[in-house]
Amino acid sequence: MSAYQTKILGTGHYVPPRIMTNDEVSKLVDTSHQWIVERTGIHERRIADPKAGDIPSGMAMKAAQKAFEAAGIQPNDVELILFSTTFPDMFFPNTATQLQLKLGITNGCGCLDINAACTGWVYGFTLADGLIRSGMYKTIMVVGAEMTSGFNNWNDRNTCILFGDGCGVTILGRAPAGEASGVIAHVLGADATKGEHLMLRGGGAAVPITAENVGTDVQCVVMDGKEVFKSAVKTMAAHCEQMLSEAHMTMEQVDWFIPHQANLRIIEAVANRFNFPLDKAVVNVERFANTSSATVPIAMDEAIRDGRIKRGQTLMLAAFGAGLTSGGVLLKY
Ligand code: ACO
């Protein structure tokens, strides 16, 4: 038992105002609203306008301001920023430092970017939990901020229907002595042998952007949807099972399941495996599509703000993404 337990002090989210409907996507590629809804559950997604400042650090600034208010803390109370993104502001300096700047944090707090694709926020949350429980840190901000429209291929109907932009921010701190809040179990994983199923290959050292390949799909997401689908259902269900088993709990004791929002059918398939009613899953994929590592913190913040999630309840978070990475957290809110 650790000396300290982790408490979610406050949450916030931001999505860009521009809504892109399935009908609009149907004008770009050969698809339809009906096909997208039947296969994914997605009705619309948000698209960031970088000219309005909505790059990852800019979206995170707006979400963080709401999280500070909810947590009742000041920006300078943050000791560490863990920033998950698959499309950073730039290669370096990292996006966490850009957020520190935008928030006017002057205490010199640590700043670290995390890239575990859609699982990145869960990785960040787990690292933050360990640092808080060990006593090393008291207040950590975990960010999932994504501008997927920056790498989406608007000529590829297999992928462009799936993604959206947005950001979720969670501020973690020490639970006051005697409070029930805390992380009960967690799991992080990756299966690199399946990495080829979901990639953005270009722009790094392995596949530099050259005059020959600029503007080709090496700069965009490529995916084998069926393989990712199968793997997502299998790993998320396995992680949930592992966490429940470690905690000696059953799914009936979980109040809310907050899964990565990639496809409604994936969420339904995981819920079915546990005979878990879908109305106990937090789902917003129909409005925001897959915002990569921002989906879980956005969904959690929405459900906290509208009163579904209450203090003392048990939450099960699960995510998967390129890598193929995966992870989960079982916690008392
Ligand atoms: N509109 C119309 N038809 C389409 C579209 C589209 N947008 N996309 C594919 N099709 C066609 C295919 O070409 C195929 O046609 P064919 O039978 O003539 O070959 C047919 O529809 C069926 O395609 P499938 O790939 O079998 O469709 P499926 O039911 O598997 O759904 C989907 C595809 C939605 C991509 C699904 O596989 C999926 O959601 N996979 C998981 C993807 C995912 O979660 N990605 C995010 C990972 S998280 C991260 O880290 C980014």
Side-chain angles (χ1 to χ4, degrees), residues 263-299:
N263 184 322
L264 182 60
R265 285 161 53 216
I266 293 176
I267 298 171
E268 285 170 347
V270 176
N272 278 344
R273 284 199 178 201
F274 289 99
N275 212 12
F276 188 74
L278 203 59
D279 58 9
K280 282 172 77 178
V282 180
V283 178
N284 63 15
V285 69
E286 72 284 0
R287 284 175 292 127
F288 300 143
N290 179 352
T291 57
S292 190
S293 70
T295 68
V296 176
I298 291 176

Side-chain angles (χ1 to χ4, degrees), residues 33-189:
H33 174 69
Q34 192 190 347
W35 193 95
I36 300 171
V37 171
E38 276 172 14
R39 299 295 178 111
T40 71
I42 297 165
H43 288 235
E44 59 190 39
R45 72 283 296 138
R46 301 301 178 104
I47 302 295
D49 177 4
K51 290 198 190 85
D54 282 349
I55 57 176
S57 64
M59 291 190 277
M61 178 187 70
K62 293 170 188 167
Q65 283 160 347
K66 293 179 193 158
F68 287 139
E69 208 181 310
I73 67 162
Q74 298 302 315
N76 269 325
D77 294 328
V78 172
E79 296 169 324
L80 180 65
I81 300 173
L82 298 177
F83 198 114
S84 163
T85 185
T86 43
F87 197 72
D89 284 11
M90 57 192 98
F91 269 121
F92 56 83
N94 71 24
T95 312
T97 61
Q98 303 310 293
L99 180 59
Q100 186 203 56
L101 200 64
K102 286 182 175 163
L103 289 171
I105 295 176
T106 53
N107 64 7
C109 71
C111 287
L112 177 69
D113 278 15
I114 293 171
N115 181 352
C118 301
T119 322
W121 178 88
V122 169
Y123 268 72
F125 189 103
T126 304
L127 296 180
D129 174 52
L131 292 170
I132 288 169
R133 282 209 246 185
S134 72
M136 283 176 71
Y137 285 85
K138 287 200 286 289
T139 312
I140 302 179
M141 178 157 63
V142 186
V143 181
E146 302 282 4
M147 206 185 101
T148 64
S149 55
F151 58 72
N152 213 350
N153 183 348
W154 296 108
N155 298 313
D156 177 13
R157 69 177 183 175
N158 291 300
T159 51
C160 75
I161 60 165
L162 297 172
F163 297 102
D165 300 336
C167 173
V169 169
T170 310
I171 297 172
L172 303 183
R174 278 184 193 168
E179 259 195 35
S181 307
V183 171
I184 303 164
H186 60 78
V187 55
L188 296 178

